[in-house]
Short mmCIF file of all heavy atoms in Angstrom, two decimals:
data_model
loop_
_atom_site.label_atom_id
_atom_site.label_comp_id
_atom_site.label_asym_id
_atom_site.label_seq_id
_atom_site.Cartn_x
_atom_site.Cartn_y
_atom_site.Cartn_z
N ARG A 22 38.44 90.50 87.92
CA ARG A 22 38.34 89.06 88.17
C ARG A 22 37.02 88.47 87.71
O ARG A 22 36.96 87.37 87.18
CB ARG A 22 38.56 88.76 89.65
CG ARG A 22 40.03 88.73 89.99
CD ARG A 22 40.29 88.24 91.39
NE ARG A 22 41.67 88.58 91.71
CZ ARG A 22 42.72 87.88 91.30
NH1 ARG A 22 42.56 86.80 90.57
NH2 ARG A 22 43.94 88.27 91.59
N ILE A 25 36.74 87.23 84.14
CA ILE A 25 37.41 85.99 83.69
C ILE A 25 36.97 84.78 84.52
O ILE A 25 37.68 83.79 84.60
CB ILE A 25 38.96 86.14 83.67
CG1 ILE A 25 39.52 86.56 85.03
CG2 ILE A 25 39.39 87.08 82.58
CD1 ILE A 25 41.03 86.35 85.15
N TYR A 30 42.06 79.28 83.99
CA TYR A 30 43.31 80.05 84.02
C TYR A 30 42.95 81.44 84.52
O TYR A 30 42.10 82.12 83.94
CB TYR A 30 43.91 80.10 82.60
CG TYR A 30 45.17 80.91 82.48
CD1 TYR A 30 46.40 80.41 82.92
CD2 TYR A 30 45.16 82.19 81.90
CE1 TYR A 30 47.56 81.16 82.79
CE2 TYR A 30 46.31 82.94 81.77
CZ TYR A 30 47.51 82.42 82.22
OH TYR A 30 48.66 83.16 82.08
N ARG A 31 43.60 81.88 85.60
CA ARG A 31 43.12 83.06 86.31
C ARG A 31 43.92 84.33 86.05
O ARG A 31 43.85 85.27 86.83
CB ARG A 31 43.09 82.77 87.83
CG ARG A 31 42.35 81.52 88.22
CD ARG A 31 40.87 81.55 87.89
NE ARG A 31 40.16 82.57 88.63
CZ ARG A 31 39.05 83.18 88.20
NH1 ARG A 31 38.56 82.90 87.01
NH2 ARG A 31 38.45 84.08 88.95
N LYS A 32 44.69 84.33 84.96
CA LYS A 32 45.47 85.55 84.71
C LYS A 32 45.06 86.20 83.41
O LYS A 32 44.34 85.59 82.61
CB LYS A 32 46.96 85.20 84.65
CG LYS A 32 47.48 84.69 85.99
CD LYS A 32 48.96 84.52 85.97
CE LYS A 32 49.44 84.11 87.34
NZ LYS A 32 50.88 84.14 87.44
N VAL A 33 45.50 87.41 83.19
CA VAL A 33 45.30 88.06 81.91
C VAL A 33 46.67 88.35 81.30
O VAL A 33 47.63 88.51 82.03
CB VAL A 33 44.48 89.37 82.06
CG1 VAL A 33 43.07 89.07 82.46
CG2 VAL A 33 45.13 90.35 83.03
N PRO A 34 46.81 88.42 80.00
CA PRO A 34 45.74 88.34 79.00
C PRO A 34 45.27 86.92 78.69
O PRO A 34 46.01 85.96 78.85
CB PRO A 34 46.41 88.94 77.75
CG PRO A 34 47.85 88.59 77.90
CD PRO A 34 48.12 88.66 79.36
N ASN A 47 45.95 81.23 76.43
CA ASN A 47 46.43 81.89 77.64
C ASN A 47 47.91 82.25 77.50
O ASN A 47 48.62 81.58 76.76
CB ASN A 47 46.29 80.95 78.84
CG ASN A 47 44.87 80.43 79.00
OD1 ASN A 47 43.92 81.15 78.72
ND2 ASN A 47 44.74 79.21 79.45
N ASP A 48 48.32 83.25 78.23
CA ASP A 48 49.72 83.67 78.35
C ASP A 48 50.14 84.50 77.12
O ASP A 48 50.04 84.05 75.99
CB ASP A 48 50.66 82.46 78.49
CG ASP A 48 52.07 82.90 78.81
OD1 ASP A 48 52.77 83.36 77.89
OD2 ASP A 48 52.47 82.82 79.98
N SER A 49 50.62 85.71 77.41
CA SER A 49 50.95 86.64 76.32
C SER A 49 51.95 86.06 75.32
O SER A 49 51.80 86.24 74.11
CB SER A 49 51.45 87.97 76.88
OG SER A 49 52.45 87.75 77.83
N SER A 50 52.95 85.34 75.81
CA SER A 50 53.96 84.82 74.86
C SER A 50 53.40 83.69 74.01
O SER A 50 53.74 83.57 72.83
CB SER A 50 55.21 84.35 75.61
OG SER A 50 55.88 85.49 76.10
N ILE A 52 50.22 83.44 73.19
CA ILE A 52 49.30 84.12 72.26
C ILE A 52 50.08 84.67 71.07
O ILE A 52 49.71 84.46 69.92
CB ILE A 52 48.52 85.25 72.99
CG1 ILE A 52 47.56 84.65 74.03
CG2 ILE A 52 47.76 86.13 72.00
CD1 ILE A 52 46.89 85.67 74.96
N LYS A 85 48.69 75.87 95.59
CA LYS A 85 48.54 76.93 94.59
C LYS A 85 48.89 76.39 93.20
O LYS A 85 49.95 75.80 93.00
CB LYS A 85 49.46 78.10 94.96
CG LYS A 85 49.16 79.35 94.17
CD LYS A 85 49.92 80.56 94.72
CE LYS A 85 49.62 81.82 93.94
NZ LYS A 85 50.31 81.94 92.67
N GLU A 89 52.46 76.70 83.21
CA GLU A 89 53.55 77.08 82.32
C GLU A 89 53.25 76.41 80.98
O GLU A 89 52.53 75.40 80.95
CB GLU A 89 54.89 76.62 82.92
CG GLU A 89 56.12 77.28 82.34
CD GLU A 89 55.98 78.79 82.06
OE1 GLU A 89 56.24 79.60 82.97
OE2 GLU A 89 55.62 79.13 80.92
N LYS A 93 56.90 77.95 74.38
CA LYS A 93 56.18 79.22 74.20
C LYS A 93 56.91 80.29 73.39
O LYS A 93 56.28 81.22 72.93
CB LYS A 93 55.66 79.77 75.52
CG LYS A 93 56.64 80.27 76.52
CD LYS A 93 55.81 80.85 77.67
CE LYS A 93 56.70 81.39 78.75
NZ LYS A 93 55.94 81.98 79.84
N ASP A 124 60.19 88.28 79.66
CA ASP A 124 59.23 87.60 80.54
C ASP A 124 59.81 87.30 81.92
O ASP A 124 59.13 87.39 82.93
CB ASP A 124 58.82 86.25 79.94
CG ASP A 124 57.71 86.41 78.90
OD1 ASP A 124 57.34 87.55 78.60
OD2 ASP A 124 57.23 85.37 78.40
N1 LIG B 301 53.28 84.95 81.93
C1 LIG B 301 51.95 85.51 81.90
C2 LIG B 301 51.76 86.37 83.11
C3 LIG B 301 50.34 86.84 83.26
C4 LIG B 301 50.12 87.64 84.53
O1 LIG B 301 50.82 87.45 85.53
N2 LIG B 301 49.14 88.52 84.49
C5 LIG B 301 48.80 89.33 85.65
C6 LIG B 301 48.39 90.70 85.23
S1 LIG B 301 49.54 91.48 84.20
C7 LIG B 301 47.58 88.71 86.34
O2 LIG B 301 46.62 88.38 85.68
N3 LIG B 301 47.66 88.55 87.64
C8 LIG B 301 46.55 88.05 88.40
C9 LIG B 301 46.95 86.90 89.28
O3 LIG B 301 48.12 86.49 89.27
O4 LIG B 301 46.07 86.42 89.98
C10 LIG B 301 51.74 86.31 80.62
O5 LIG B 301 52.70 86.85 80.08
O6 LIG B 301 50.62 86.37 80.13
#
Side-chain angles (χ1 to χ4, degrees):
R22 278 188 195 281
I25 56 165
Y30 177 77
R31 308 297 295 152
K32 295 187 176 190
V33 291
N47 305 326
D48 188 283
S49 50
S50 289
I52 293 171
K85 192 170 180 282
E89 197 41 87
K93 69 176 180 179
D124 277 5

